[in-house]
Every structure is written in structure tokens, then in C-alpha cells.
Amino acid sequence: MDDLVAAVALAAVDAGWTPEEVAAALVELADNLMLSVLANRGLERDLAGLRSGRA
């Protein structure tokens, strides 16, 4: 995974982004990924409760 992230970062710098902008964008992407994982986990838990009649 490190190689892929490094390749994306280098491509972004080659496209004109500063290293700081790339780093900030990667942090934001990681944060949004974590938020979506947690939201999906909560949704799955809620759906399971509704399916079992424990709503």
C-alpha cells in the first residue's frame, strides 16, 4: 500500500500540487474513509436490530 500511496502523491506533485497540499489531501481522504467505515458499521448494526425486531 505504501508504494501505491507514494505513487499517487508523486503524481499529484507532478500535476502541480505542493507536498503539503498532497499530505493534507491524503489525511482528509483517510479521515473520510474512517468516518464512512464507522457510519456503515452503525448502519449495519441498526439494520440488524430492525430485522430482528429490536428497533
Side-chain angles (χ1 to χ4, degrees):
M1 191 166 164
D2 287 346
D3 291 340
L4 292 174
V5 172
V8 168
L10 288 174
V13 170
D14 287 345
W17 293 41
T18 67
E20 294 81 5
E21 290 171 325
V22 174
L26 290 172
V27 168
E28 188 171 343
L29 285 170
D31 187 44
N32 287 335
L33 176 60
M34 179 57 78
L35 291 172
S36 70
V37 167
L38 294 174
N40 286 335
R41 185 177 296 155
L43 177 60
E44 289 298 324
R45 183 184 55 242
D46 293 345
L47 288 172
L50 288 170
R51 289 181 185 126
S52 69
R54 291 181 281 145

